[in-house]
Amino acid sequence: MTDCLTEPDREPGGDATRSAENAAIERIRERGESVRDRQVERALSELELSERERDAVERLGDRLVERLLAVPEAQLERAASDGDDETLSAALELFSGSR
């Protein structure tokens, strides 16, 4: 657990919690974008598509990531405003690995 999550003087929704929220959201977003990039590239390499079709596949990947991450990001924002460091810490752990 990081120090910013365990400071005793921290108020719910304070700077330390917002920092943890931002870090958790950033990690989730990076992971989603990494998966999207690999999978879109894989699909594009297996298909013979026009430039317009390639753009459509890339936009589809972007929309999927946006929609899939909207709920977890909103929940992390709520956890931060509630001072729920346990949820923020769990999110950081879940999305810190790389695959």
Side-chain angles (χ1 to χ4, degrees), residues 9-68:
D9 298 345
R10 176 194 48 67
E11 291 187 25
D15 289 340
T17 301
R18 289 287 174 208
S19 240
E21 170 202 357
N22 292 339
I25 289 174
E26 184 176 326
R27 283 191 190 167
I28 290 171
R29 174 112 352 239
E30 286 171 357
R31 178 79 173 119
E33 290 172 355
S34 173
V35 169
R36 177 208 57 219
D37 291 347
R38 284 193 315 271
Q39 295 306 313
V40 166
E41 193 55 43
R42 182 178 177 187
L44 292 176
S45 72
E46 295 175 7
L47 301 168
E48 292 183 30
L49 301 174
S50 70
E51 191 62 35
R52 183 172 178 231
E53 292 166 327
R54 291 175 68 82
D55 289 344
V57 169
E58 290 177 5
R59 285 192 311 275
L60 172 64
D62 291 342
R63 286 191 308 271
L64 286 171
V65 168
E66 287 298 319
R67 299 246 170 113
L68 287 170

Side-chain angles (χ1 to χ4, degrees), residues 79-99:
S81 69
D82 293 345
D84 183 357
D85 293 343
E86 188 174 330
T87 296
L88 296 171
S89 181
L92 286 167
E93 275 188 54
L94 283 171
F95 291 93
S96 64
S98 60
R99 290 185 185 178

